[in-house]
Amino acid sequence: MNKLFTTIFAVAVSCATAASLAQEIKGDAKAGETKNAMCIGCHGIKGYQASFPEVYKVPMISGQGAKYITAALNEYKKGERKHPTMRAIADSLTDQDIADLAAHYSADGAGEAAKAAREPSTEVKALLAKANCASCHGDNFSKPIDPAYPKIGGQHADYLFVALKAYKTENNPKVGRSNAIMAGMAKQYTNAELKQLANYLASVDGDLKTIPQKKFR
């Protein structure tokens, strides 16, 4: 019995140490700028479109929160976000690489002034209230209450639509997102309603942008 307790304690200490080390990783924006060669081919071209699982503009990530970028890349790495290309890219990154890239892209939106949200139509206002989107994504849908949540104000409408539908997708080995909270929210809506929400959110002035790369390395 004592041996069992010793083993359990050792595992617990090991997990706590690993968690502590993960928390200590600090991102370096300058280092991230030298590591983004795999990112700029899609995220550094204005209007660039992806074709899986359907055609849509790749999301703007410059100005996004560092903790959200870190969380998203780790979700791709674990397969919690299903996307073959993004999983392959995330698999190639170390924890330090992810931290550096997150610091780099989040720095692009530093110091942005807050903007007033565009007033939604009565119908869209009701849809937003149904899931209380602002309660998590914050003022102007650009001030999330948790830094691990994304800024969605001003994001591309077609990307938002694809992302929201992914939370509704089940039992598909190549498409879907594992997030119980967002799945519960998205499943309240028809796809037509999700498209309405995506179109409104895209019309909001937010911090997100696409910054073209001066040259490809």
Side-chain angles (χ1 to χ4, degrees):
M1 183 65 73
N2 288 337
K3 185 176 181 180
L4 175 61
F5 285 148
T6 301
T7 301
I8 292 173
F9 178 76
V11 171
V13 170
S14 176
C15 291
T17 301
S20 176
L21 288 173
Q23 290 175 356
E24 291 173 5
I25 295 175
K26 301 294 184 183
D28 183 321
K30 288 291 185 184
E33 190 175 5
T34 69
K35 297 178 178 182
N36 70 345
M38 290 187 293
C39 309
I40 59 178
C42 294
H43 297 284
I45 301 174
K46 288 188 176 180
Y48 189 84
Q49 293 183 315
S51 58
F52 178 87
E54 60 191 77
V55 176
Y56 62 94
K57 295 183 186 69
V58 298
M60 293 178 280
I61 57 174
S62 293
Q64 190 61 268
K67 287 193 175 180
Y68 168 70
I69 293 174
T70 298
L73 286 171
N74 280 313
E75 285 167 11
Y76 283 119
K77 199 169 189 175
K78 296 173 186 175
E80 293 172 358
R81 287 193 181 198
K82 298 172 186 176
H83 190 289
T85 302
M86 282 303 305
R87 181 161 193 182
I89 290 171
D91 274 342
S92 73
L93 301 173
T94 66
D95 289 344
Q96 186 63 62
D97 292 336
I98 289 174
D100 292 342
L101 287 168
H104 167 62
Y105 281 106
S106 64
D108 286 336
E112 292 286 340
K115 309 171 186 71
R118 175 188 165 210
E119 187 67 18
S121 67
T122 301
E123 186 176 4
V124 170
K125 186 180 291 186
L127 292 175
L128 290 166
K130 191 174 181 180
N132 201 4
C133 304
S135 67
C136 287
H137 296 284
D139 293 341
N140 212 35
F141 306 99
S142 299
K143 306 294 179 188
I145 61 167
D146 185 315
Y149 297 164
K151 299 176 182 180
I152 55 176
Q155 185 60 271
H156 297 308
D158 49 1
Y159 165 73
L160 289 172
F161 182 50
V162 168
L164 287 167
K165 286 192 298 180
Y167 289 114
K168 295 173 65 177
T169 304
E170 296 179 341
N171 303 317
N172 187 315
K174 293 185 177 180
V175 179
R177 294 189 177 191
S178 301
N179 183 301
I181 294 174
M182 279 303 303
M185 298 300 179
K187 287 175 182 177
Q188 298 181 81
Y189 301 98
T190 65
N191 284 350
E193 289 173 332
L194 290 179
K195 184 169 282 191
Q196 284 183 280
L197 284 172
N199 287 339
Y200 167 71
L201 292 168
S203 74
V204 173
D205 288 328
D207 300 334
L208 305 177
K209 65 192 82 168
T210 298
I211 298 180
Q213 189 73 16
K214 293 180 180 178
K215 63 179 180 179
F216 289 91
R217 290 184 293 279

